Each structure stands twice: as C-alpha cells, then as structure tokens.
Amino acid sequence: MIGGHTGFFYEVGRYLPPHYRVREAADFWELAGCARLRRQVFCLEQRIFQGDDRDDIDRIATTLAAVSTLGGMADDIVGTVRIHECAAGHWMGSRLAVAGDHRRAGGIGTHLIRLAVCLAHARGATQFTAFVQSANATLFEALHWRTLDTLLLHGHPHHHMQADLAHYPAAGAHELQVLVPMRAAA
Ligand SMILES: CC(C)(COP(=O)(O)OP(=O)(O)OC[C@H]1O[C@@H](n2cnc3c(N)ncnc32)[C@H](O)[C@@H]1OP(=O)(O)O)[C@@H](O)C(=O)NCCC(=O)NCCS
C-alpha cells in the first residue's frame, strides 16, 4: 500500500524510485554517503558502536553503494557494504546496511550481497565469508550461504557464514540495477 484515506487526511506512503544502481563507490559523495549511512545504522539505530563504526579494515576495503535515482539520475546513497581480502583468496564482507525507508523495497540488500561476492570472485576469491547478524541469517541462507558457526560479536549474536561461489559468477561483476516492482495504490 502506498497511500490511503484516514478521515480528513490523505496519508502518503514512502516514495520509492523505480530503480536503484548498485556499484563500487568511487566518488567522494558516494563514499561520504556510505560512511553516513553506516553511522546511522550501526551507531544510532542498532547502537553496536558508539559515535563511529570505522576501523582498520576501511583502509583496505572496497566499498559498494546502492544509489537511489531521481529522474534517472543518481540521487542518494541508500545502501552499502564493504569487501576485503583477509588472507590469500579469502574475502570477507561486512557493514551491510540499507536505509530504513528502502528496506524490503525490491532487493537492495540482496543486490549488495550479490555484487559484493561476484566482485570478490572476479578479484580471485576462492572463499567468501561474513559474520552475519543472526536476525538476518535466513536472508543469507536463501542466497546460498551456509552457517559455519554461531558466536557473540560486539555483544550481539552472529552467524559465521560462507557463500557458495558457484552461485556468484565472476563474469560481469560491475554494476547491478535493482528494479522496484510496481505497487498498487490502495
Ligand atoms: C539486512 C538488510 C541489509 C536487508 O536489506 P533489504 O534491502 O531490506 O533486503 P532485501 O529487500 O534484499 O530482502 C530480500 C528478501 O529477504 C527478506 N528479508 C530481508 N531481511 C530479512 C531478514 N532479516 N530475515 C529474513 N528475511 C529477510 C525480504 O523480505 C525479501 O524477501 P522477498 O523477496 O520475499 O520480499 C537491512 O534490513 C538492514 O540494513 N538492516 C539493518 C542493518 C543490518 O542488520 N545489517 C547487518 C546485516 S548482517
């Protein structure tokens, strides 16, 4: 439902652009937007970190961004994830976040995960793992990840999970389009 009458007022639902782009963040505004979104989600919303969630991995990681569009042009950063090689051939993903208004909007988180693993595969990954917040393990399982272990990280339950690279081809790992399905007005 994107809107509805409640008495005198007409409630307008959230605006969702018809498509998003998921790609490596390259420009300053994209990287700054990813950092801002991470602070919003991991410091303010989830309170996992205080004030700043950056760490040493950011010095070597590749950051991916989900960019919303307005009139076909890039508009805002609404999703992010980072990948890095932690040992020869072993890549990891972390700090996956989608802005609250854009969650479950049509697959932004899914496409961030897909591009992250495909890009690492293209760069030589032979294994790809992540520490996934346990609340999200089902989402990853549906995307061909399996659980290696469960543990507490930063005081929160996590699943240590591994992607099945057979489902993440290296070819064509560059940019993904997320097309939002049309929604019927109530
Ligand atoms: C987890 C997160 C990145 C998912 O992003 P998203 O853009 O909402 O995910 P998608 O739209 O791609 O979801 C794909 C499917 O998984 C489902 N899904 C999403 N989150 C889920 C969850 N936590 N558990 C089970 N299913 C989930 C969606 O309903 C959707 O199903 P559908 O295709 O049948 O509608 C987002 O909820 C988020 O940023 N959460 C806060 C930050 C966080 O927890 N980050 C840590 C990730 S380990």
Side-chain angles (χ1 to χ4, degrees):
M1 174 173 132
I2 59 173
H5 289 283
T6 54
F8 185 75
F9 296 100
Y10 183 77
E11 274 180 27
V12 178
R14 59 180 174 164
Y15 166 75
L16 290 178
H19 76 277
Y20 301 83
R21 298 190 189 117
V22 176
R23 63 190 185 208
E24 183 174 341
D27 295 340
F28 177 78
W29 77 270
E30 293 176 317
L31 290 164
C34 291
R36 188 185 64 239
L37 177 60
R38 276 172 42 177
R39 266 196 309 279
Q40 170 63 35
V41 171
F42 298 113
C43 301
L44 299 177
E45 178 186 333
Q46 296 192 328
R47 298 180 184 277
I48 293 177
F49 304 100
Q50 288 196 336
D52 190 359
D53 74 303
R54 284 173 302 175
D55 61 20
D56 287 344
I57 293 172
D58 287 309
R59 297 180 197 278
I60 56 168
T62 296
T63 296
L64 306 189
V67 184
S68 62
T69 58
L70 192 61
M73 305 294 288
D75 183 42
D76 199 5
I77 300 297
V78 298
T80 187
V81 69
R82 68 181 182 183
I83 56 171
H84 78 286
E85 188 175 26
C86 59
H90 181 181
W91 285 69
M92 291 192 71
S94 51
R95 300 294 197 272
L96 170 68
V98 172
D101 280 354
H102 298 266
R103 288 178 197 158
R104 301 190 174 198
I108 298 171
T110 296
H111 284 74
L112 282 164
I113 295 165
R114 184 165 305 287
L115 187 62
V117 184
C118 288
L119 199 56
H121 201 179
R123 293 179 181 180
T126 53
Q127 58 173 316
F128 192 102
T129 62
F131 293 104
V132 173
Q133 290 182 22
S134 295
N136 299 316
T138 314
L139 167 62
F140 282 76
E141 279 162 5
L143 298 176
H144 306 284
W145 290 59
R146 69 185 174 98
T147 299
L148 305 174
D149 200 3
T150 57
L151 70 164
L152 274 185
L153 208 59
H154 310 296
H156 294 256
H158 280 73
H159 280 46
H160 187 203
M161 301 186 79
Q162 180 169 13
D164 179 352
L165 290 182
H167 289 273
Y168 294 90
H174 177 58
E175 176 172 311
L176 300 177
Q177 300 278 337
V178 185
L179 299 175
V180 175
M182 293 291 287
R183 285 168 167 76

